[in-house]
DNA sequence: TCGTATGGCAACATCAATCG
DNA sequence: CGATTGATGTTGCCATACGA
């Protein structure tokens, strides 16, 4: 079958040089003309070509015109996009995390069909949320066969007074996701029955927390191990290719995985023993897991599945704290420094991180990366020590010249045997490294010490640091913290 | 107090890779 | 070679917490 596409924009490749800059400055209309000039199809050659509109009235007129042309078009449309033409306007509007704010869709009404609501299933998600899903008598809508539709939550069912056996209006929201619009009340026969709500978690039988609109199993993320692990392996988290739902179920059933940290200690023979896991799949999966070990902190943190922290929030948190240690050590006040975290979310995060401590420890033990590349942590809060160290003239806030150094304002003590990237460094070289990174090195632990780098066989200094509550880092973490300065020192 | 950004979820078709 | 599996793209809706 011959396929056609219409270009709706153009983006430069990273190395397109001058063209990249030109494209970024061109009004959208001219970008499209340019693309059309290259011989690429655009909507310009159709009956619903883009037009420049200067007023809201003109926009409305064009929307109406296109709407009335819809049925006669040789292709399907679900709406009309209204865009800011000038590059400067687009920049000013910017983008949210989902879509640009300078382009907005006017949606035409979707095509509807009537079918029967057969039953309702209750699915438990990775967070323990119990979501109702309607089972429909299959019906063809706009090229695909619809058999299910989400009902969101119990209140939604009540609000719309849905009953089993009802004839319901179904459409595809955005021409994609099936959705029940409403029951067709006048088609009722009297044989319809109420929809039963679950009284205990359909997954594990535990109690249900009904205090919010979305009901949750009281065991939360622990209710559905399979869902938690799948989420952790997902594209926006650890991105482990080849680990789909079926594989996860197998691993859990075989008892090989009790949390997602177990993925990192899987052995080849264990995987080969699973159904439909041959040599190729096994080796690919193992390689994917190895890669996952080095994902940035933002993704590892996201994989934990702390409620209210998805992709965006996890990135902000990781950038702010730079290491997992710092995130875990953060109190409610510190967490609120992160954009988008207020009182409630901060408290929830603290509580969940306590629960997750064993899992995090397990991940650390498995060698999973716990740092965010390129992120510089803020100066330690509770800065009496830092202030006393006298190195925080720039921490006051007016300047900021030296504040980009990772150890700015910190007093650091080294003890024990270094490992990893720092293995070959003498104590003196370590001290140099600390100072290059903006810190002050010292040889004894006191109240004024901000960080103790403790290697193997660390002794009394470590004990003292623990007593005083001084932050302790293993050499590997420290190496991450000062990575850039490490390379510089080696060459010198 | 209210507008809004974000998280979380859901349905389906389609294609490529791999297993048995 | 047929069957199984995973990956992917697409977007509306809802609830909630943030933050001005």
């Amino acid at each position: 079958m011959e396929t056609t596409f219409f270009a709706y924009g153009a983006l430069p490749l990273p190395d397109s040089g001058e063209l990249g800059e030109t494209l970024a400055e061109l009004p959208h209309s001219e970008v499209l003309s340019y693309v059309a000039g290259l011989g690429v199809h655009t909507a310009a050659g159709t009956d619903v070509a883009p037009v420049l509109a200067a007023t809201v009235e003109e926009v409305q007129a064009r929307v109406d015109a296109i709407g009335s042309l819809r049925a006669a078009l040789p292709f399907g449309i679900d709406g009309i996009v209204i865009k800011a033409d000038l590059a400067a306007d687009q920049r000013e509007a910017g983008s949210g995390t989902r879509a640009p704010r300078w382009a907005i869709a006017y949606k035409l009404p979707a095509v509807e069909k009537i079918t029967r609501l057969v039953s309702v299933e209750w699915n438990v998600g990775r967070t323990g949320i119990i979501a109702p899903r309607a089972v429909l008598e299959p019906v063809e809508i706009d090229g695909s066969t619809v058999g299910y539709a989400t009902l969101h939550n119990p209140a939604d069912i009540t609000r719309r007074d849905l009953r089993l056996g009802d004839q319901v209006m179904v459409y595809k929201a955005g021409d994609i996701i099936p959705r029940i619009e409403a029951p067709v009340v006048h088609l009722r026969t009297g044989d319809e029955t109420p929809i039963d709500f679950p009284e205990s978690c359909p997954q594990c039988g535990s109690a249900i927390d009904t205090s919010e609109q979305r009901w949750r199993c009281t065991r939360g993320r622990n209710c559905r191990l399979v869902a938690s692990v799948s989420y952790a392996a997902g594209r926006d988290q650890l991105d482990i290719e080849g680990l789909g739902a079926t594989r996860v179920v197998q691993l859990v059933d075989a008892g090989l995985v009790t949390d997602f940290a177990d993925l990192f200690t899987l052995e080849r023979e264990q995987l080969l023993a699973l159904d439909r896991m041959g040599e190729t799949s096994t080796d690919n999966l193992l390689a994917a897991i190895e890669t996952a070990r080095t994902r940035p902190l933002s993704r590892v943190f996201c994989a934990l599945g702390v409620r209210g922290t998805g992709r965006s929030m996890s990135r902000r948190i990781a950038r702010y704290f730079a290491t997992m240690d710092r995130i875990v050590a953060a109190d409610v006040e510190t967490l609120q420094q992160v954009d988008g975290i207020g009182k409630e979310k901060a408290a929830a995060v603290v509580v969940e991180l306590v629960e997750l401590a064993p899992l995090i420890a397990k991940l650390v033990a498995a060698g999973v990366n716990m740092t965010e590349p390129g992120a510089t942590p803020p100066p330690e809060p509770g800065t009496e020590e830092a202030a006393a160290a006298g190195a925080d003239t720039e921490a006051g806030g007016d300047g900021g010249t030296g504040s980009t150094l990772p150890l700015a304002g910190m007093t650091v003590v080294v003890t024990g045997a270094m490992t990893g990237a720092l293995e070959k460094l003498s104590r003196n070289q370590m001290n140099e490294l600390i100072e290059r990174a903006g810190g002050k090195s010292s040889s004894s632990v006191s109240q004024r010490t901000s960080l103790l780098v403790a290697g193997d066989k660390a002794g009394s200094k470590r004990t003292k640091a623990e007593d005083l509550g001084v932050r302790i880092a293993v050499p590997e973490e420290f190496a991450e913290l000062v990575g850039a300065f490490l390379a510089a020192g080696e060459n010198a």
Side-chain angles (χ1 to χ4, degrees):
Chain A
M1 181 176 163
E2 191 184 331
T3 56
T4 312
F5 88 101
F6 295 94
Y8 64 92
L11 295 171
L13 292 169
D15 53 356
S16 19
E18 209 179 310
L19 176 60
E21 288 155 39
T22 320
L23 275 182
E25 289 309 319
L26 241 39
H28 185 69
S29 51
E30 287 179 32
V31 171
L32 285 182
S33 309
Y34 170 77
V35 169
L38 296 174
V40 178
H41 275 298
T42 69
T46 72
D47 290 342
V48 288
V51 296
L52 274 174
T55 67
V56 178
E57 288 71 27
E58 285 176 50
V59 170
Q60 186 63 54
R62 187 59 181 160
V63 164
D64 293 342
I66 293 176
S68 59
L69 285 169
R70 184 187 194 184
L73 292 172
F75 43 81
I77 61 171
D78 72 328
I80 297 120
V81 180
I82 300 149
K83 300 176 180 177
D85 195 42
L86 298 181
D89 290 344
Q90 295 174 7
R91 266 197 300 274
E92 194 186 341
S95 294
T97 50
R98 288 172 196 253
R101 281 189 280 259
W102 53 270
I104 188 166
Y106 179 98
K107 290 295 180 186
L108 296 165
V111 186
E112 287 186 328
K113 284 275 178 74
I114 293 178
T115 188
R116 204 166 67 89
L117 172 58
V118 178
S119 62
V120 173
E121 296 174 350
W122 299 84
N123 178 54
V124 183
R126 67 176 176 91
T127 56
I129 286 182
I130 301 167
R133 157 214 233 202
V135 181
L136 305 168
E137 217 155 72
V139 61
E140 162 121 7
I141 308 178
D142 197 26
S144 65
T145 308
V146 171
Y148 300 96
T150 179
L151 293 173
H152 297 293
N153 55 58
D156 198 43
I157 294 175
T158 311
R159 191 164 44 228
R160 290 189 282 169
D161 187 29
L162 287 167
R163 303 176 199 176
L164 295 181
D166 262 340
Q167 296 290 326
V168 291
M169 309 265 284
V170 181
Y171 68 101
K172 290 202 289 186
D175 282 346
I176 302 279
I177 310 288
R179 163 147 184 91
I180 291 182
E181 165 94 56
V184 187
V185 178
H186 71 264
L187 290 180
R188 282 195 175 144
T189 64
D191 292 336
E192 294 78 16
T193 55
I195 293 167
D196 288 330
F197 292 172
E199 293 182 359
S200 60
C201 172
Q203 178 71 28
C204 70
S206 301
I208 297 179
D209 174 0
T210 58
S211 64
E212 293 185 341
Q213 294 286 350
R214 290 186 284 211
W215 292 5
R216 294 177 71 236
C217 172
T218 48
R219 293 181 65 213
R221 83 161 66 73
N222 298 317
C223 176
R224 276 207 69 197
L225 177 58
V226 169
S228 304
V229 174
S230 294
Y231 176 74
R235 202 178 8 154
D236 293 321
Q237 293 75 37
L238 298 177
D239 194 15
I240 303 177
E241 261 184 85
L243 192 63
T246 314
R247 293 280 103 90
V248 176
V249 170
Q250 284 179 293
L251 290 169
V252 169
D253 285 350
L256 297 175
V257 164
T258 58
D259 57 44
F260 78 85
D262 285 335
L263 294 172
F264 293 102
T265 51
L266 285 172
E267 284 163 24
R268 195 161 183 274
E269 298 72 46
Q270 296 175 320
L271 291 175
L272 282 169
L274 299 176
D275 197 31
R276 287 193 70 82
M277 281 300 284
E279 301 247 333
T280 315
S281 297
T282 297
D283 289 340
N284 286 346
L285 180 54
L286 285 172
I289 292 174
E290 271 317 295
T291 312
R293 224 188 278 272
T294 63
R295 297 268 181 250
L297 174 63
S298 51
R299 282 166 169 267
V300 177
F301 183 80
C302 192
L304 292 175
V306 176
R307 271 220 288 164
T309 61
R311 304 169 287 283
S312 296
M313 198 56 95
S314 295
R315 267 198 303 276
R316 288 201 291 259
I317 292 174
R319 269 203 304 268
Y320 186 85
F321 290 104
T323 70
M324 184 70 91
D325 281 353
R326 284 170 165 274
I327 300 177
V328 172
D331 56 19
V332 174
E333 284 72 36
T334 316
L335 273 167
Q336 285 182 69
Q337 299 302 306
V338 179
D339 192 31
I341 296 190
K343 259 186 164 173
E344 275 177 82
K345 203 166 263 191
V349 169
V350 167
V351 169
E352 288 206 46
L353 282 177
V354 172
E355 279 173 34
L356 287 163
L359 175 58
I360 295 172
K362 210 165 153 184
L363 289 166
V364 170
V368 175
N369 173 56
M370 291 288 160
T371 60
E372 187 72 359
T376 15
E380 279 288 284
T383 35
E384 290 83 14
E385 314 95 272
D392 75 331
T393 36
E394 77 283 346
D398 43 31
T401 33
S403 61
T404 50
L405 293 170
L407 299 183
M410 294 173 69
T411 302
V412 183
V413 176
V414 181
T415 185
M418 294 300 102
T419 49
L422 305 177
E423 193 168 2
K424 296 214 171 79
L425 296 194
S426 69
R427 203 46 32 109
N428 193 36
Q429 285 172 310
M430 282 296 293
N431 291 341
E432 285 170 7
L433 175 60
I434 290 163
E435 276 147 25
R436 270 204 303 283
K440 178 175 183 290
S441 64
S442 168
S443 56
S444 63
V445 176
S446 73
Q447 288 236 321
R448 305 190 169 186
T449 309
S450 345
L451 175 70
L452 176 73
V453 182
D456 289 345
K457 305 217 179 90
S460 60
K461 282 182 192 166
R462 186 183 181 114
T463 316
K464 185 165 184 192
E466 282 167 359
D467 288 343
L468 293 174
V470 169
R471 185 158 78 97
I472 300 175
V474 298
E476 284 74 15
E477 288 168 43
F478 186 71
E480 284 287 342
L481 200 60
V482 298
F485 303 88
L486 180 60
E490 269 168 7
N491 297 337

